[in-house]
Each structure stands twice: as C-alpha cells, then as structure tokens.
Amino acid sequence: MRRKILAGNWKMNKTYSEGLQLVDEIVELFNAQPVDGVEKILAPSFIHLSAVIEKVKLIKNFSVASQNCHHQKNGAYTGEVSAEMVKSTGATYVIIGHSERRSFFSENSVVLSQKVNIALLNNLNPIFCIGESLEERNANTHLEAVRKQLKETVFNLSESDFSKLIIAYEPIWAIGTGVTATSHQAQGMHNFIRSEINKKYGKVISENIPIIYGGSCNAKNAKELFACLDVDGGLIGGASLIAEELFSIANSFPI
Ligand code: PEP
C-alpha cells in the first residue's frame, strides 16, 4: 500500500511566536487523537524549522520540511539557505518547484534540477511540485505541460533517487484561489503522472511513489479528493495555518 501524506505549507506566514503557537495547537490536537497511518509534514519558514522540529519530534509520523533551499553548496549568496543548512536543523524534506518559486523567483528546470540534486546529496527528500497554468488547462495542453516539467527535471534522476521523491500535483489555477480541481480532474492528472512514471521507471516505482494534490484543498473537499485512487494525500497551503482545519484534513483519508 502506498504512503498517505499530508503536508502543510505555511508559505511566508506567521511571526516566530505565532508559528510556535500554531505548532503547539497542532501537537495538542494530534496528541489527543492520533491519526495513524498518515505521514504528517509541516513546512514552516526557515526561522521556524528547528523550533518546530523540537515540538513535533515526540509525535509519531510527524516530520518537517523547508519550503526551499539554494541550488549551490555554500558560499557568497547573501540571504540564501543551503540544503546542508536545512538538513542541519533536523528537517528531512524540502519543497522544490512550487509554482510561486517558479513564477516569482524565475526558477527554471535547470535550477530546479540542481536543487533536487543538492537536496538528495544532503539526504533531504524533495517534495517536487508540478502543475499546469489555467491557459494550458483551457488549451487542453495540460498533460503535455506536466510531462515536460517531469522530463526536464526529475526524470533525469536515477531510479533510487527518484524513489525518494514525493510528487505534488498543484494546478497553478487552484493555488490560493479557492478553486479546487474536481476529483475527476485530480484523478485524471494523477493517473497520467503515474503512467508517465511507469513508462520511465517501471511498475514498482510508479505504483509506490506518493503523488499528492495541492490547490485550495480544505476540510470540505479533502475527503472527495483523497478518495481518488491515485491521490495519496495533499499539500495544503492556506488551510494548514489553522490547526483544526489541518487536523480535519488529516482525518479525511479513506479508512
Ligand atoms: C500550496 O501553496 O502549495 C497550496 C496548495 O496552497 P493553497 O492550499 O492555499 O491553495
């Protein structure tokens, strides 16, 4: 059976103390009623990483991700954070390829491939995001767009490195818009991604790799999305900033 994964992306939200308060609320809820069988990943800002790790380390099935890392090993890159630095906090995942990084910070396939490689070198597991724009969806070129993103980046990895990834399908038109992909759209794309992985890496890897959905997923729509055969969980932005909402989404997986 594939892993079930729920990842919360806090983005550029929460001051230091607000972040600690949020993680305390999350810990309290999950301690009172553990949600077994679901891997929970919190992706706070860099400033929160070590404190959040300290707070979740005693709870089963919780881990921490950074939202980014630099593509170079180290050096004169003022303001940046390397994969090695992220790893040294105790984080085990890193989000790479988020559409906000691709569009606001011009991160292209070359840079994203470098980020994936340096993350893996530092034993950080990438949560690699892919997804089409609204124009591509409307022009019916969304499958081709996602195939291209895979081919130009993570499909250059060896089988063993590729197996360390979590793929996050995040249609750009659904991120932060309140418009969620229908379960039909999500299942269609997740199934397509899995079949592309099958063609490239074979049946065992394609059947085992977690593919999670992101884009305005919340406590109201998670159940229907997570019921889809090829949807293995969610990457949650806005709704992950409310502890009760995150807890409720964690309880939306089919039993
Ligand atoms: C995201 O940023 O990865 C995301 C899915 O955001 P939201 O849930 O707010 O749409």
Side-chain angles (χ1 to χ4, degrees), residues 179-192:
V179 180
T180 320
T182 63
S183 51
H184 182 72
Q185 288 170 322
Q187 170 56 24
M189 182 59 93
H190 282 233
N191 182 263
F192 171 75

Side-chain angles (χ1 to χ4, degrees), residues 9 11 98 100 129 170 174-178 214-217 235-239:
N9 175 13
K11 310 196 189 194
H98 194 285
E100 287 154 14
C129 305
E170 299 208 303
I175 299 177
T177 58
S216 299
C217 182
L235 177 54
I236 318 295

Side-chain angles (χ1 to χ4, degrees), residues 47-223:
I47 66 157
H48 293 110
L49 284 178
S50 17
V52 169
I53 287 161
E54 269 310 300
K55 286 183 183 283
V56 301
K57 77 178 179 199
L58 296 176
I59 324 182
K60 221 173 115 203
N61 265 336
F62 258 93
S63 34
V64 174
S66 67
Q67 298 171 20
N68 183 28
C69 69
H70 197 261
H71 57 283
Q72 299 289 352
K73 188 175 183 305
N74 61 353
Y77 301 100
T78 302
E80 291 296 325
V81 177
S82 71
E84 188 180 24
M85 288 153 75
V86 170
K87 184 66 188 180
S88 73
T89 65
T92 45
Y93 289 96
V94 52
I95 298 174
I96 297 176
H98 194 285
S99 69
E100 287 154 14
R101 302 268 346 149
R102 291 178 192 254
S103 63
F104 301 139
F105 303 95
S106 309
E107 294 189 355
N108 59 24
S109 300
V110 175
V111 168
L112 294 177
S113 298
Q114 289 174 307
K115 288 190 181 212
V116 168
N117 287 334
I118 201 127
L120 288 166
L121 265 177
N122 285 283
N123 293 317
L124 282 172
N125 296 84
I127 300 172
F128 192 77
C129 305
I130 50 177
E132 81 283 2
S133 65
L134 186 59
E135 293 70 33
E136 288 162 336
R137 171 67 61 172
N138 288 340
N140 208 23
T141 56
H142 51 294
L143 299 181
E144 196 41 54
V146 163
R147 179 192 281 131
K148 186 168 181 282
Q149 289 173 351
L150 287 168
K151 276 194 170 157
E152 288 179 354
T153 54
V154 290
F155 274 10
N156 294 316
L157 294 171
S158 67
E159 285 185 8
S160 73
D161 276 345
F162 187 83
S163 308
K164 294 172 189 159
L165 303 182
I166 294 171
I167 301 291
Y169 167 57
E170 299 208 303
I172 299 167
W173 46 271
I175 299 177
T177 58
V179 180
T180 320
T182 63
S183 51
H184 182 72
Q185 288 170 322
Q187 170 56 24
M189 182 59 93
H190 282 233
N191 182 263
F192 171 75
I193 294 168
R194 208 176 292 290
S195 70
E196 289 298 300
I197 297 172
N198 184 17
K199 278 192 237 160
K200 171 76 187 168
Y201 291 104
K203 198 167 159 38
V204 174
I205 290 180
S206 70
E207 281 182 359
N208 282 300
I209 190 128
I211 307 176
I212 61 178
Y213 168 81
S216 299
C217 182
N218 57 38
K220 288 202 184 83
N221 55 37
K223 201 167 180 185

